[in-house]
Amino acid sequence: MIVTRFAPSPTGRLHVGNLRTALHNWLLARKGDGDADGDGDGTGRFLLRIDDTDAERSREEYVEAIRTDMAWLGLEPDAEYRQSERLDLYENAFVRLRDAGRVYPAYETAQELELKRKIALGRGLPPIYDRAALDLTDEQRADYEEQGIAPHWRFRLDHDEFIDWADRVRGSQKFDPAQLSDPVIRRADGSWLYMLPSVVDDLDMGVTDVLRGEDHVSNTAVQLQMFSALHTAGVGPEHCDVVDSFPRFGHTALLVGREGKLSKRLGSLSCEALREQGIEPEAILSLLARLGTSKPVEPIADRRHLIETFDLATFGRAPARFDDPELERLNTAIVHQMDFAEVQDRLPEGIDEAGWHAIRPNLTRVSEAAEWWRLVTGPIEQPDFSEEDKAYLAEAAGALEWGDDPWRALTIALKDSTGRKGKQLFLPLRQALTGMDHGPDMGELLPLIGEQEARARLQRAAG
Ligand code: GLU
């Protein structure tokens, strides 16, 4: 079974980049393995993992906000985990790796490390950690401890073999571990950095696939060695019988703004802001599912279609461009497809199905329905009409007859009796009946306004 996860850190609101990663993993899980194992269940599992090991920066309000945003988008997880509740697992893995010599204590201060970095760069060398801590003698370590200096901990990369994997988006990837720094996995105060807990969790939760942004590519190189080291050290879930199983990884190209650059605005364009702007979840999902793929961006209201057409083989390596006007276009198209039943709860009192259908083609947002509905309920503000138009509207008030299609009947009658046509025929009527020069189809609107009110409006306009 396919198991994916979305692992946000609750240090801020979800932004479009996060949403895209969440969506990719959700789509992959919902698409599932197509029942490859014949267990009658073609769908996988999608997990939400709250990466809240950084107690200082994590906030409960953001955990809540993540849940709210995911529910609003309809990307509900099958299970939720919190790293802050799983510290024992990380401790256990840490002890095993330490005993196996794969993690080691280091005592450099931040300033010392920065200095080393600068020296390396000054010599034209890559700023890779020099592993000085590995050469410390027991005595030197004891010395640090005596001075009350607690170590931070690094994972010792195995330099003997290249790290490679078949990335599901980028293709074959190869890293020389000697070109990477041994990552710090634990701070001197005992708290965890992201790297190791994530691997422990992926292993424990049986995660089969990880899709994330390409800014994580070098993390993956390091984490693949962590998976191996944990396997060797005998850390793994009880249920994991394939000892050498790692997730498959795919790294998607970054999201950039319209101008092709990584924009600050995009990094902070939150799900909440989009919701408040009246953007529909389907518009967001339609855009984010297809950006950076060879498939066209289309307004897709049916999630099943999004799921069925999700295909990692269509993902490209060029940056994916996020374009606001495109989101607007999608939103408008999605709103125009929405059924009354879907929006009923969000509409002002009184709008029925016919009302929604009359108004819908004029909307770019569901919230605009109220404004258009006022044309039906009134009061409306009419423009000043010429004497000629007033006479015409007086005639219209008299000619109004209420049948199946009163607008058609009225305009045919007036065309015959006045010889007016086109704009001259229609515009004064629309202005008198709605106070506007444009708007919903009058054929649909007039029955909603009703006979009495329509006649009153025409008479008022006629003066
Ligand atoms: N918490 C990490 C992040 O938000 C998760 C990365 C991952 O998907 O492993 O970057």
Side-chain angles (χ1 to χ4, degrees), residues 5 7-9 18 49 51 194 198 202 210-212 216 223:
R5 48 47 165 206
S9 307
N18 303 131
R49 189 185 81 201
D51 282 4
Y194 147 77
S198 178
D202 285 342
V210 175
L211 297 177
R212 53 189 184 183
H216 280 289
Q223 288 180 318

Side-chain angles (χ1 to χ4, degrees), residues 6 14-24 26-27 46 65-77 270-272 274-275 279-288 301 303 306 327:
F6 171 51
L14 295 182
H15 55 74
V16 285
N18 303 131
L19 298 185
R20 182 162 168 253
T21 298
L23 174 62
H24 288 158
W26 183 83
L27 287 168
F46 170 66
I66 288 167
R67 291 185 190 126
T68 304
D69 289 346
M70 305 273 290
W72 178 69
L73 288 166
L75 303 182
E76 260 145 319
S270 70
C271 185
E272 182 191 35
L274 293 172
R275 181 165 59 238
I279 303 292
E280 299 297 322
E282 277 69 23
I284 299 173
L285 301 187
S286 295
L287 181 60
L288 294 182
R303 281 171 194 227
L306 272 188
L327 184 58

Side-chain angles (χ1 to χ4, degrees), residues 102-331:
R102 291 304 297 271
V103 296
Y104 60 93
Y107 297 84
E108 292 94 342
T109 62
Q111 291 87 328
E112 281 169 320
L113 291 172
E114 183 53 27
L115 193 61
K116 286 188 193 209
R117 226 176 66 84
K118 282 200 179 132
I119 292 172
L121 287 172
R123 291 186 186 147
L125 297 169
I128 301 167
Y129 176 60
D130 62 7
R131 293 186 151 180
L134 273 180
D135 298 330
L136 293 175
T137 61
D138 286 348
E139 251 176 29
Q140 285 170 312
R141 272 196 288 269
D143 229 32
Y144 279 118
E145 305 281 336
E146 242 168 62
Q147 293 173 48
I149 301 174
H152 53 274
W153 298 83
R154 288 186 184 262
F155 176 75
R156 186 172 60 75
L157 288 166
D158 177 356
H159 286 187
D160 289 345
E161 268 180 64
F162 272 69
I163 305 165
D164 52 30
W165 76 93
D167 194 280
R168 298 184 77 193
V169 177
R170 297 164 64 85
S172 170
Q173 301 291 297
K174 206 166 193 170
F175 275 81
D176 177 0
Q179 297 303 313
L180 300 168
S181 290
D182 287 343
V184 176
I185 55 158
R186 197 171 194 180
R187 300 186 188 87
D189 65 2
S191 65
W192 297 101
L193 282 106
Y194 147 77
M195 287 290 211
L196 181 65
S198 178
V199 172
V200 171
D201 285 340
D202 285 342
L203 207 55
D204 184 63
M205 294 167 193
V207 170
T208 59
D209 295 86
V210 175
L211 297 177
R212 53 189 184 183
E214 67 182 13
D215 47 329
H216 280 289
V217 170
S218 61
N219 287 346
T220 297
V222 167
Q223 288 180 318
L224 283 173
Q225 281 216 353
M226 290 183 178
F227 279 107
S228 293
L230 287 172
H231 283 310
T232 309
V235 182
E238 307 283 309
H239 63 264
C240 182
D241 48 18
V242 191
V243 174
D244 265 337
S245 70
F246 312 127
R248 285 169 291 203
F249 283 88
H251 296 87
T252 51
L254 292 185
L255 210 53
V256 294
R258 203 181 183 186
E259 55 305 333
K261 285 197 219 109
L262 261 182
S263 81
K264 248 206 180 137
R265 196 188 76 82
L266 213 52
S268 58
L269 181 56
S270 70
C271 185
E272 182 191 35
L274 293 172
R275 181 165 59 238
E276 281 171 2
Q277 284 167 32
I279 303 292
E280 299 297 322
E282 277 69 23
I284 299 173
L285 301 187
S286 295
L287 181 60
L288 294 182
R290 294 286 174 85
L291 270 190
T293 77
S294 56
K295 290 228 159 82
V297 173
E298 306 164 306
I300 299 174
D302 181 355
R303 281 171 194 227
R304 276 169 312 183
H305 187 56
L306 272 188
I307 294 167
E308 277 158 20
T309 56
F310 180 71
D311 181 0
L312 285 172
T314 64
F315 279 66
R317 290 189 59 177
R321 257 167 222 251
F322 182 93
D323 185 26
D324 295 87
E326 193 161 35
L327 184 58
E328 289 291 336
R329 272 195 301 279
L330 286 170
N331 199 63

